[in-house]
Amino acid sequence: MGVGPEQAHGVSQHRRRRFDVRVVPHRRRSALRLQDWRMRTKLATVLVIPSVAFLVLAGVQTQSLVSRASVLGDFAAQVGIGREITALTHRLQVERDRTAGELPALRDAADEEASEKQLAVLQPYRDAADQAAAQLRVAAEPLAEADASWRDVYVVASQAYQQVGYIRDTMTTVLLSDDTIIGNYHRAIDALLNLLAQPTPGADRPELADAVLRYVQFARAKELSSRVRAELYAAARAGSYDSEDSAQVPDLRARQLTALGAFRIAATNVQVSRYDEMSLDPAFVTASRLEEQALSQGTSGSAVLDAEQWWAASEARHELLQRFEAEVLSASAQQADDASGTQLRQTLLVVGVIITVLLVAVLISVLIGRSLARSIRLLRSQALRIAQIELPEALARLRSVSGGVPPIDVSPAVVRSLDEIGELAEAFVAVHRSAVGVAVEQANMRRNVNAMFVNLARRSQVLVERQLELLDDLEREEGDPEQLENLFKLDHLAARMRRNDESLLVLAGTESTRRWNRPIRLSAVLLAASAEIEQYQRVRHEAVADLHVVGHAVGELVHLLAELLENATAFSRPDTIVQVMARMEGPGAVVEIADQGLGMSATALSEANAVLATPPAADVATVERMGLFVVGHLAARHGIEVRLHGGAGGLVARVRLPRPLLAAAPPPSLDPVPSPRGLPVATPGPVDPGPAELPVAGRRPTTVPRQAHTVPVRAEDVLASAVPKASGGGGWWSREGPSSVVSAAGAGAPAPPAVPVTAGTNERGLPMRVPMAQLNAVRQPARPEQQPATRDDPDPDAVGGMLSKLYSGVRRAEAEETTEFPVPPLGAWSEGGRK
């Protein structure tokens, strides 16, 4: 059968909803249990934890390298600023030495003009020192913000230089001693030298510490040489030595030699050679000779050096020392810069290697984790698709198959890798294939069992039909009322046995072979269903709409209604009635069967409605409640909705017939049409049924002797003469049983009910079964005022014999043929002439 686009869309939506349902674990998931974590979380954890550990170790190493590079960078900057520091130190030394020589003249100045003249001599040296101090201040600002310890030393040096400026301004106005004035210069120069020695490369870089030691020791030696010059120049300008000079100058000279010795130890060979070459310079030799001369004469003597000669010679030597100091400082600064650059490059290289290794490791881990996650995700998707879609659909197809077992394709594994996940996927596909194989075997076994059911049911049907034919003959020839009543009961039990055989066919999944090619009136269907049950006398057709049912669904609809009527009469008291009503409701029709029985509990009612809505597969429990099972499957086969509702005193079964099962009334026809067993249709009320309104086959109550009995073919030919029109047109139907039926001699008997359920009565008032007439091909009702058309009927005995033989042959052929019966496809023309 084809599937329309709306149905296909509904199926896809149903599949999507079923596939989107998550698998509910058997216990609550906890985030504290490792085994409850999702696979993605576990993979992320496996990736993150080593990465974090690596980052921590790499961060520690990187921090150490960055710290070392930062220290060396600051060290290089502090060594580099030594140029400004030595420049300021040199200018202060010159200013101090010159000031020491001019102090006696300032004191001897007679007036302010003479003092200003002496200060004008010192002003160029002061300006040069202030300029060097400004350069140092500009260069020191970044370093002061970066290094707190260096900033503290710099602040001390800056304050000492400010004190020098204060001494300059108060030198002529405030009476200060020479030691106080020169002492401020000494403190400022010592603070600058301490700042020059502040750079520290760390304990792991001794070569850089030696570089700092070299220029610091030479700067101290140069400072001691400058102080010796200042002492000798002051003595030369004063014309004699002080009492303190005898001890101070040799001490300064000794300390100078010690500092030079420390420099020569820390200095490189090139620097030592360069100093030795400088010491041979004529200016250096002249100054050294004058200095030695002054020291050899002793400071106690009255002879002093010439002030101008000494200043010129010492100034030349001081300039040589300053240039050499700049060379040593530049070499140390270059070494510090090289070390800082090397450390920075090494740090960047290590950081780059760490980042590269981390990225490569993360990339490889992500690729591997993504591969694992993808394989697991594909395996999970396939498992859910198989568990929720493919396997249930395959099982449903195998359960619903009626012919040969169709091939079931098993999709291959979606994971093609050769690892454990791929092996797991292959194992899962193997399990799926085994499950499908087991289901196919069960389907074949079920098909064989169904085939056995069908064969047994067909054979039983043949036997039942033969039994019914024999009962027909016996009833036709029996004249004893008691024996005829027993035959009628036996006839009815055989009809119920035939319905059980049809239930076995439904149990086996086979459709009924009783079909009609024309629409049948709904009232006839309801009457035929009433005739299929044992307690048919208790059924009351209260109100039945004038509707027709398509021919191909009549047989199974009669079976469905008969099961519901049987249930209603079996589970209610014998003195109650079962009401049957049929009406139009919306696009379809609704048939209600109400009893006054025991009813059902809410739970049992819900379970029964669930079985009716979704019929289960046939099993052992089905046989125990076969009626409910048959009703559910027949309703599902034709799209009929059956619901059970609790009534006021019993149960109400509501059968909703869809619009496709309803048909228009067939056109009237005068040709006789044979029909299987059933009950004739009677119209409620005092309407005289004409030939076109009566069943095709029936039994006529006869009053002639037994040897003159005939079996008519058409029921309307016998019922019109069996029931007098003067009785109100109620016909020969009876709801109360044989006692209320009108006999041939009882003209004063009460009129029978308007809706008959039996096939008439004989001359003794006993009900008679109508052979081959459970249903009739209903024709278009004739109007009351119309007269039935006259026609010549064939011999009833001949026609009855031929139809009986034909029907028996058809049943035998059906029992011997295959159990598979073709069903017309959707959209094809049915036997009833409807699409």
Side-chain angles (χ1 to χ4, degrees), residues 376-596:
I376 295 174
R377 185 172 62 252
L378 290 177
L379 180 59
R380 175 181 179 273
S381 300
Q382 186 182 26
L384 291 178
R385 185 172 63 254
I386 291 174
Q388 299 179 2
I389 297 178
E390 294 183 1
L391 189 57
E393 288 185 354
L395 296 179
R397 288 176 57 190
L398 293 174
R399 279 195 298 266
S400 61
V401 66
S402 59
V405 178
I408 304 296
D409 296 331
V410 177
S411 57
V414 295
V415 181
R416 301 298 181 87
S417 59
L418 301 180
D419 55 357
E420 288 81 358
I421 299 179
E423 294 175 356
L424 180 60
E426 292 291 344
F428 194 86
V429 171
V431 172
H432 181 204
R433 189 176 294 110
S434 300
V436 172
V438 172
V440 169
E441 293 180 0
Q442 291 181 352
N444 288 324
M445 185 182 302
R446 186 166 53 252
R447 180 173 176 269
N448 296 332
V449 173
N450 291 342
M452 290 188 293
F453 281 171
V454 171
N455 289 328
L456 293 176
R458 296 299 186 197
R459 293 177 183 272
S460 179
Q461 277 185 330
V462 172
L463 297 177
V464 170
E465 293 296 339
R466 291 180 182 178
Q467 183 179 1
L468 290 174
E469 292 174 2
L470 180 58
L471 289 174
D472 290 339
D473 295 337
L474 295 177
E475 290 172 1
R476 190 179 297 112
E477 298 175 359
E478 182 62 48
D480 186 3
E482 295 181 359
Q483 292 297 331
L484 189 59
E485 183 177 3
N486 293 331
L487 289 176
F488 184 79
K489 292 180 179 178
L490 185 60
D491 189 302
H492 190 76
L493 290 176
R496 291 182 62 197
M497 290 173 60
R498 182 182 59 187
R499 181 157 55 87
N500 287 335
D501 293 337
E502 293 179 351
S503 297
L504 289 178
L505 294 179
V506 176
L507 185 67
T510 303
E511 296 184 359
S512 176
T513 57
R514 293 196 300 169
R515 295 196 175 190
W516 284 259
N517 57 359
R518 301 189 61 183
I520 304 299
R521 193 182 298 273
L522 182 58
S523 59
V525 174
L526 294 173
L527 288 173
S530 301
E532 293 282 343
I533 67 174
E534 181 179 3
Q535 305 179 38
Y536 57 89
Q537 300 92 344
R538 296 168 52 196
V539 179
R540 298 291 186 270
H541 296 257
E542 300 295 341
V544 179
D546 189 10
L547 300 172
H548 288 76
V549 181
V550 293
H552 69 86
V554 169
E556 294 183 345
L557 182 58
V558 169
H559 193 179
L560 184 148
L561 294 172
E563 293 291 346
L564 293 176
L565 289 172
E566 183 76 31
N567 184 74
T569 56
F571 292 96
S572 60
R573 297 193 311 272
D575 57 344
T576 60
I577 62 172
V578 176
Q579 297 178 346
V580 179
M581 294 174 288
R583 65 180 184 277
M584 287 292 296
E585 185 174 297
V590 174
V591 177
E592 290 185 353
I593 300 174
D595 61 59
Q596 301 177 9

Side-chain angles (χ1 to χ4, degrees), residues 11 79 139 145 156 196 219 244-245 327 414 418 423 428-429 439 460 468 481 498 704 730 741 754 764 773:
V11 171
V79 172
E145 296 177 357
V156 173
L196 187 65
E244 298 179 356
D245 294 339
E327 291 177 3
V414 295
L418 301 180
E423 294 175 356
F428 194 86
V429 171
S460 179
L468 290 174
R498 182 182 59 187
V704 299
V741 180
R764 299 180 181 178

Side-chain angles (χ1 to χ4, degrees), residues 508-766:
T510 303
E511 296 184 359
S512 176
T513 57
R514 293 196 300 169
R515 295 196 175 190
W516 284 259
N517 57 359
R518 301 189 61 183
I520 304 299
R521 193 182 298 273
L522 182 58
S523 59
V525 174
L526 294 173
L527 288 173
S530 301
E532 293 282 343
I533 67 174
E534 181 179 3
Q535 305 179 38
Y536 57 89
Q537 300 92 344
R538 296 168 52 196
V539 179
R540 298 291 186 270
H541 296 257
E542 300 295 341
V544 179
D546 189 10
L547 300 172
H548 288 76
V549 181
V550 293
H552 69 86
V554 169
E556 294 183 345
L557 182 58
V558 169
H559 193 179
L560 184 148
L561 294 172
E563 293 291 346
L564 293 176
L565 289 172
E566 183 76 31
N567 184 74
T569 56
F571 292 96
S572 60
R573 297 193 311 272
D575 57 344
T576 60
I577 62 172
V578 176
Q579 297 178 346
V580 179
M581 294 174 288
R583 65 180 184 277
M584 287 292 296
E585 185 174 297
V590 174
V591 177
E592 290 185 353
I593 300 174
D595 61 59
Q596 301 177 9
L598 302 176
M600 300 175 68
S601 64
T603 303
L605 196 64
S606 177
E607 293 178 356
N609 285 325
V611 172
L612 292 174
T614 307
D619 53 9
V620 178
T622 302
V623 182
E624 300 177 358
R625 305 179 68 181
M626 190 165 60
L628 194 63
F629 173 84
V630 170
V631 171
H633 278 267
L634 291 178
R637 186 176 297 174
H638 295 282
I640 301 173
E641 180 185 352
V642 181
R643 297 283 294 177
L644 301 180
H645 302 275
L651 203 65
V652 178
R654 182 172 296 174
V655 181
R656 185 180 299 275
L657 303 180
R659 185 66 184 88
L661 291 185
L662 302 180
S669 176
L670 299 179
D671 298 331
V673 181
S675 174
R677 295 180 180 271
L679 287 176
V681 177
T683 304
V687 180
D688 186 13
E693 187 68 22
L694 294 176
V696 176
R699 182 178 299 269
R700 170 174 55 189
T702 178
T703 58
V704 299
R706 289 175 53 185
Q707 61 273 16
H709 261 178
T710 59
V711 181
V713 178
R714 298 183 58 82
E716 64 269 21
D717 296 337
V718 296
L719 295 180
S721 59
V723 180
K725 294 183 180 181
S727 64
W732 39 266
W733 307 102
S734 174
R735 296 181 185 275
E736 305 298 334
S739 62
S740 62
V741 180
V742 179
S743 62
V755 182
V757 294
T758 63
T761 59
N762 56 12
E763 68 277 7
R764 299 180 181 178
L766 296 177

Side-chain angles (χ1 to χ4, degrees), residues 776-816:
N776 63 315
V778 181
R779 304 174 184 273
Q780 185 70 21
R783 297 181 179 178
E785 63 271 9
Q786 288 181 339
Q787 297 296 329
T790 60
R791 66 178 182 274
D792 296 331
D793 292 333
D795 185 7
D797 292 333
V799 174
M802 289 187 296
L803 291 178
S804 178
K805 293 179 181 179
L806 175 63
Y807 192 77
S808 299
V810 170
R811 285 301 187 187
R812 293 189 185 98
E814 289 174 349
E816 294 173 358

